[in-house]
């Protein structure tokens, strides 16, 4: 086995295997950004084409020799592959190159390990790392004998491997138990928001699309923002006041990426459930990226995997200040509801359009109607004003009130438990027609 470097071990050579199915240049640029985000010092980039992977090393023998020479000449500590290598391929390449070899999945896991800050985030990352490492334990014990069977051929290697596997399984089970308790706490928080009839809006999108910047601008939060992949990892929740709707909960989720490792999707499933159970998804897209359509497809695949594609979406094309167009711009669907918004998260004057679009998208959950209240319903009247649910109020001769109200259906159903008079409310589908009839 090779000796581990005594220094940081970040001097890296990047390897990309090109294909004809995707944009190789954008894939390479993204992989280089991932390497830099992990703190790697990129010494050289090697590209090759391989229609059929070599079962031993994935790449051909000629490229392996070229890599071997580069590692020796540049004194590289690490070779990063922009693809998923099997445990055997990693083992064979490390034996030939005499340095560490890490696949795309291992690189992303390392970035997540650096960025996790909360207790839950650290547990989720550790679970993903242990799941990934469980199939790669064997390479840590290649210096020991293998248990082949027969007298004189049994050695300590198999015993140590079995011990490590058992310890890994025990640790994985422990982490899953802790995450289950955290998930239960998250469920209680979600139920509390539902009891308060507070709609939830989740921001999703490709990593570095500007979700956190938009989140901070709308809510006044101080989530860490940087022009790098996976700048923020842990989800953040903040309240946002909207006209008519009232207070909604805005959730900033982890960024997605193409070929997101399944270990991460599974580990972060509880966190991503915030998107699954939300009332609306704000799909933030970097409109200035020429590959933004591919990025949207990658996000859709993850949303499908976690069962969130059925949630209504509002697409936000961010960073449009880099494009020659008038901003903000809103595209409506056949029903007159907003579908897409072009804006820049760095321009506060664009946020009114976002808030109005949120109201228009969420008002499909609104109920509108007329209700008559007298002095005994003063507390309900105050509550409706506090919830900003009153559209129109007329004081009658006897001092009672005739009100036109509008509120989320969940809020109406919740208030009906304490104020049964709301169950007698006359629902209105055409608010404009009502206003006209009242004015007559």
């Amino acid at each position: 086995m090779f000796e581990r470097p005594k220094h940081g071990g970040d001097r890296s050579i990047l390897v990309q295997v090109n294909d004809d199915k995707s944009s190789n240049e954008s894939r390479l640029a993204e992989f280089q950004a991932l390497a830099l985000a992990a703190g790697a010092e990129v010494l050289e980039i090697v590209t090759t084409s391989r229609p059929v992977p070599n079962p031993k090393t994935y790449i051909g023998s000629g490229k392996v020799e070229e890599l071997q020479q580069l590692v020796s000449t540049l004194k590289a500590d690490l070779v990063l592959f922009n693809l998923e290598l099997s445990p055997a391929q990693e083992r064979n390449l490390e034996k030939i190159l005499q340095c560490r070899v890490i696949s795309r999945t291992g690189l992303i896991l390392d970035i997540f390990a650096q960025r996790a800050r909360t207790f839950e985030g650290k547990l989720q990352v550790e679970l993903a790392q242990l799941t990934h490492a469980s199939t790669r334990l064997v390479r840590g014990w290649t210096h020991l004998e293998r248990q082949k069977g027969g007298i004189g051929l049994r050695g300590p290697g198999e015993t140590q491997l079995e011990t490590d596997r058992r310890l890994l399984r025990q640790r994985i089970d422990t982490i899953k138990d802790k995450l289950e308790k955290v998930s239960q706490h998250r469920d209680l928080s979600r139920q509390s928001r539902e009891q308060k009839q507070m709609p939830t809006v989740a921001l999703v999108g490709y990593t570095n699309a500007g979700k956190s910047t938009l989140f901070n601008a709308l809510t006044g939060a101080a989530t860490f923002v940087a022009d790098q992949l996976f700048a923020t990892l842990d989800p953040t929740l903040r309240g946002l006041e909207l006209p008519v709707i009232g207070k909604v909960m805005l959730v900033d989720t982890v960024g997605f990426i193409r070929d997101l490792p399944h270990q991460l999707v599974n580990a972060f499933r509880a966190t991503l459930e915030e998107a699954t159970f939300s009332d609306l998804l704000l799909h933030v897209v970097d409109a200035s990226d020429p590959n933004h359509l591919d990025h949207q497809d990658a996000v859709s695949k993850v949303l499908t995997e976690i069962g969130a594609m059925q949630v209504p979406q509002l697409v936000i094309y961010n960073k449009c200040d880099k494009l020659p167009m008038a901003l903000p711009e809103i595209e409506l669907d056949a029903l007159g509801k907003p579908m897409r918004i072009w804006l820049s998260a760095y321009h506060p004057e664009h946020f009114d359009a976002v808030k109005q679009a949120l109201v228009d998208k969420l008002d499909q959950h609104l109920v509108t109607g007329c209700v008559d209240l007298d002095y005994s319903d003063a507390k309900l009247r105050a509550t409706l004003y506090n919830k900003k649910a009153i559209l129109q109020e007329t004081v009658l001769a006897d001092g009672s009130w005739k009100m036109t109200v509008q509120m989320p259906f969940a809020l109406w159903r919740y208030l009906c438990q304490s104020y049964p008079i709301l169950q007698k409310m006359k629902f209105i589908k055409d608010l404009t027609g009502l206003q006209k009839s009242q004015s007559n």
Side-chain angles (χ1 to χ4, degrees):
M1 287 293 288
F2 56 89
E3 291 294 328
R4 300 289 181 180
K6 296 180 181 180
H7 48 86
D10 298 325
R11 294 169 57 83
S12 307
I13 296 174
L14 307 188
V15 180
Q16 167 154 305
V17 180
N18 294 329
D19 56 40
D20 299 328
K21 298 180 181 179
S22 59
S23 174
N24 294 313
E25 291 184 3
S26 66
R27 287 176 58 242
L28 179 57
E30 181 178 273
F31 186 56
Q32 190 171 2
L34 283 172
L36 294 175
E41 178 187 351
V42 180
L43 304 176
E44 187 73 33
I45 298 176
V46 177
T47 60
T48 183
S49 297
R50 188 74 188 178
V52 180
N54 185 311
K56 292 184 178 181
T57 57
Y58 199 100
I59 57 177
S61 58
K63 279 296 175 182
V64 172
E65 292 180 5
E66 180 184 340
L67 276 176
Q68 190 177 20
Q69 294 177 0
L70 283 173
V71 169
S72 177
T73 303
L74 300 176
K75 300 186 183 306
D77 309 312
L78 181 64
V79 176
L80 301 173
F81 278 77
N82 191 17
L83 48 86
E84 185 60 24
L85 297 171
S86 69
Q89 289 167 343
E90 281 190 17
R91 199 162 55 243
N92 294 334
L93 285 168
E94 286 191 343
K95 184 176 181 180
I96 297 171
L97 301 178
Q98 289 296 295
C99 72
R100 287 182 298 155
V101 174
I102 296 180
S103 64
R104 177 186 175 88
T105 296
L107 179 62
I108 295 176
L109 289 173
D110 184 81
I111 296 173
F112 272 57
Q114 294 181 42
R115 303 288 163 79
R117 293 292 180 269
T118 65
F119 174 72
E120 181 184 9
K122 292 178 180 179
L123 284 177
Q124 289 167 330
V125 171
E126 184 180 357
L127 176 59
Q129 287 180 316
L130 292 179
T131 303
H132 179 69
S134 61
T135 60
R136 288 162 167 77
L137 274 178
V138 63
R139 57 180 188 170
W141 298 97
T142 51
H143 64 290
L144 298 178
E145 298 177 21
R146 286 291 168 266
Q147 185 174 349
K148 304 292 185 180
I151 297 175
L153 295 177
R154 297 181 178 87
E158 187 69 20
T159 302
Q160 183 63 58
L161 287 175
E162 288 302 318
T163 300
D164 284 358
R165 289 193 182 102
R166 185 177 67 255
L167 292 175
L168 266 181
R169 286 194 298 269
Q170 292 174 351
R171 180 58 182 166
I172 288 174
D173 290 340
T174 300
I175 293 175
K176 287 182 177 179
D177 290 341
K178 292 181 178 180
L179 284 174
E180 180 62 27
K181 294 180 181 178
V182 175
S183 179
Q184 293 174 0
H185 177 73
R186 187 185 300 279
D187 289 340
L188 291 175
S189 300
R190 189 182 299 116
Q191 292 174 11
S192 176
R193 294 199 301 270
E194 291 175 353
Q195 289 178 355
K196 295 178 181 178
Q197 315 309 316
M198 188 181 300
T200 301
V201 179
L203 280 78
V204 298
Y206 209 77
T207 181
N208 205 30
K211 296 189 311 303
S212 297
T213 302
L214 181 63
F215 179 83
N216 288 344
L218 288 173
T219 64
T223 303
F224 177 71
V225 174
D227 185 15
Q228 61 183 17
L229 303 184
F230 300 115
T232 54
L233 177 59
D234 300 307
T236 307
L237 287 78
R238 292 290 186 276
L240 173 66
E241 284 288 338
L242 294 176
V244 180
I245 303 293
K247 190 174 183 179
V248 302
M249 185 62 65
L250 215 60
V251 184
D252 185 18
T253 63
V254 62
F256 301 157
I257 197 171
R258 63 161 64 97
D259 302 325
L260 188 66
H262 289 288
Q263 296 96 328
L264 282 178
V265 175
N266 292 331
F268 280 78
R269 189 172 296 275
T271 301
L272 295 174
E273 281 182 355
E274 291 293 346
T276 306
F277 290 104
S278 62
D279 299 288
L280 178 66
L281 297 180
L282 282 188
H283 185 168
V284 183
V285 180
D286 181 358
S288 65
D289 193 316
N291 300 294
H292 68 269
L293 293 179
D294 293 336
H295 294 174
Q296 285 181 257
D297 290 340
V299 173
S300 296
K301 288 180 181 178
V302 178
L303 291 177
T304 300
E305 190 169 349
I306 64 174
M309 277 302 290
Q310 78 280 2
V311 181
Q313 287 191 31
L314 175 63
V315 182
I316 305 292
Y317 286 102
N318 190 27
K319 304 185 183 181
C320 289
D321 50 341
K322 300 179 181 180
L323 304 177
M325 62 185 302
L327 300 174
E329 182 177 322
I330 302 178
E331 182 179 341
L332 305 178
D333 60 16
L335 300 176
K337 299 293 184 182
M339 292 174 53
R340 305 176 185 90
I341 303 179
W342 284 263
L343 53 75
S344 171
Y346 285 118
H347 291 265
E349 62 270 20
H350 298 171
F351 301 153
D352 288 341
V354 178
K355 292 180 180 180
Q356 186 56 50
L358 287 175
V359 172
D360 292 341
K361 289 292 287 187
L362 290 172
D363 73 355
Q364 58 187 329
H365 302 289
L366 297 179
V367 295
T368 307
C370 288
V371 62
D372 296 329
L373 305 180
D374 59 26
Y375 67 93
S376 63
D377 301 311
K379 185 176 180 181
L380 171 58
R381 178 173 176 265
T383 300
L384 293 174
Y385 267 108
N386 185 48
K387 297 294 184 180
K388 300 179 181 179
I390 299 176
L391 296 180
Q392 191 175 23
E393 180 184 81
T394 302
V395 181
L396 303 180
D398 60 356
S400 61
W401 304 280
K402 187 178 185 63
M403 292 184 169
T404 304
V405 298
Q406 187 178 66
M407 69 189 80
F409 175 77
L411 175 59
W412 172 80
R413 184 176 55 188
Y414 177 73
L415 290 178
C416 282
Q417 299 175 11
S418 302
Y419 307 100
I421 192 172
L422 286 178
Q423 297 179 8
K424 301 178 182 180
M425 187 173 72
K426 297 179 181 178
F427 294 100
I428 305 165
K429 294 183 179 180
D430 187 357
L431 182 60
T432 304
L434 170 77
Q435 291 173 330
K436 287 182 179 180
S437 65
Q438 285 187 340
S439 62
N440 292 334

